[in-house]
Amino acid sequence: MPELITPQGEHSISAILFDKDGTLPQFISLWGSWGECFLEQFTRQLAKRGLEFPVQHRASLLGTVHDARGRITGYDRNGPLAMGTMSDLYAILSWQGYLLGLSWAESMELVELCRQEADALLERSRPVLPLPGLLPFLDQCAASGIALAVVTADETAAAENHLRWLGIRGYFSAVIGTDQVERGKPFPDMALLACERLGVQPAEAAVIGDTNGDMRMAKAAGAAVAVGIAGTASAAADRGITSTAGTVVDAGVTSSADPVAGITNAVDAAAYGGITKAVDTAGYGGITNTVNTAEHGRITKAVDTAAAGYLLPDADSIVQSYAELSIGRKAR
């Protein structure tokens, strides 16, 4: 039986179930474009009706990070855009319209109009880019006879399109969108249906994804292993925090964490050269020993090492990219 080789160990498998967004195509290239168009249209349509979409709500609605020009530059991996179904997103936006004074029917119609515009933009521009190392890894899987499927919170028809735009649809024997099951992630329904379509037992399948919803789905389905793709994102970046430890130099520690994170005096122990559990006061939970890698009292990115565990606490293995994964075959 083939083996999925990860930095944390080797796992005998006969199938791999991939999440789509953020796992196959890069998330921001696709959904950043869609989200920007949707929110721009939403704002414009509200203005036509004499209503103003509060600027402070734009990021919190879908779980996105915006720059000064309003462009989406990051996202919360545990937020609605990353983990929710399309129906979830439409309901969130419809609720916002309702709060601003539209009837529920009017709000739903407005959201549908914005959806059509955003979908049309994607169809024209097809802004999809594969994650680094993805294509060689898929080739390894195909050469080893591993059955592959996609399990996505997106709708099946849209997922099929995105895979074709990437040129990778042929690798997958099944594509399971959230419209094919009663319950989406983190419930096991999609993983179980994918295994059924592939003709394998869940215990023979690995799940690869970029959110903890993927990891929890894998656990609930009884998958052999749940692998999290952490990429270059950090807990700080996904929270829109950019200056987590910029002022930490040598043993003089001041203002070591962005106040957005609620971290104060987080690395005072560094003044004595003993740096342990530096951001336990962050309140995120599960973050310990985050700056033990500091050398000679110099800290550069104090929160980055905590990011993967914070974002994907239920993963069996966490990698930055597909370059850390490979397929082998167990010797008899």
Side-chain angles (χ1 to χ4, degrees):
M1 180 179 288
E3 289 202 323
L4 175 63
I5 302 171
T6 77
Q8 288 77 27
E10 301 176 359
H11 306 271
S12 297
I13 59 167
S14 55
I16 299 178
L17 315 182
F18 292 83
D19 169 54
K20 179 172 70 72
D21 303 311
T23 302
L24 299 172
Q26 296 177 27
F27 191 93
I28 292 299
S29 67
L30 178 62
W31 290 105
S33 300
W34 184 91
E36 287 170 16
C37 180
F38 200 114
L39 292 173
E40 179 183 347
Q41 290 295 326
F42 192 63
T43 301
R44 185 177 302 168
Q45 292 298 328
L46 286 172
K48 285 183 179 180
R49 293 159 173 79
L51 301 172
E52 183 178 356
F53 182 24
V55 174
Q56 67 270 25
H57 292 170
R58 292 184 187 180
S60 60
L61 271 181
L62 301 180
T64 48
V65 178
H66 299 246
D67 64 16
R69 294 180 298 168
R71 295 181 61 85
I72 294 176
T73 59
Y75 66 103
D76 179 357
R77 292 188 184 210
N78 293 318
L81 189 60
M83 291 187 61
T85 65
M86 300 310 294
S87 294
D88 291 337
L89 300 183
Y90 303 149
I92 289 168
L93 289 157
S94 294
W95 175 245
Q96 183 65 31
Y98 176 72
L99 289 178
L100 291 173
L102 298 178
S103 71
W104 187 250
E106 290 173 317
S107 192
M108 289 177 64
E109 290 169 351
L110 186 153
V111 167
E112 173 61 18
L113 178 62
C114 296
R115 181 199 66 79
Q116 292 174 9
E117 290 288 337
D119 286 354
L121 170 69
L122 288 191
E123 183 62 44
R124 291 192 302 270
S125 60
R126 302 187 175 185
V128 292
L129 297 169
L131 259 66
L134 170 65
L135 300 181
F137 182 71
L138 291 177
D139 285 336
Q140 283 188 49
C141 293
S144 298
I146 295 174
L148 305 180
V150 172
V151 287
T152 175
D154 204 353
E155 296 172 353
T156 305
E160 294 270 8
N161 278 338
H162 301 161
L163 296 174
R164 281 193 288 268
W165 296 349
L166 276 171
I168 61 174
R169 175 62 184 87
Y171 286 99
F172 302 100
S173 300
V175 177
I176 309 297
T178 194
D179 52 303
Q180 295 191 48
V181 295
E182 182 177 350
R183 300 175 302 173
K185 302 171 187 178
F187 301 102
D189 303 33
M190 280 195 285
L192 295 176
L193 180 57
C195 288
E196 181 183 331
R197 297 265 178 91
L198 297 179
V200 303
Q201 294 298 314
E204 302 173 58
V207 171
I208 300 179
D210 72 320
T211 74
N212 205 48
D214 300 311
M215 305 301 99
R216 294 180 71 84
M217 175 189 68
K219 299 293 187 186
V225 60
V227 179
I229 300 286
T232 58
S234 70
D238 285 335
R239 292 280 174 176
I241 303 167
T242 57
S243 58
T244 56
T247 58
V248 181
V249 179
D250 295 327
V253 181
T254 60
S255 182
S256 62
D258 194 300
V260 176
I263 306 171
T264 59
N265 298 318
V267 292
D268 285 347
Y272 300 99
I275 304 171
T276 60
K277 300 186 177 179
V279 293
D280 282 353
T281 56
Y284 286 152
I287 303 176
T288 59
N289 297 317
T290 58
V291 294
N292 285 345
T293 56
E295 293 182 10
H296 308 300
R298 179 176 292 275
I299 309 168
T300 54
K301 293 183 179 178
V303 186
D304 284 352
T305 54
Y310 163 67
L311 292 168
L312 301 161
D314 294 305
D316 298 310
S317 176
I318 299 174
V319 298
Q320 297 299 309
S321 75
Y322 284 99
E324 297 177 54
L325 299 175
S326 61
I327 303 298
R329 190 167 288 275
K330 193 170 185 177
R332 296 189 177 184

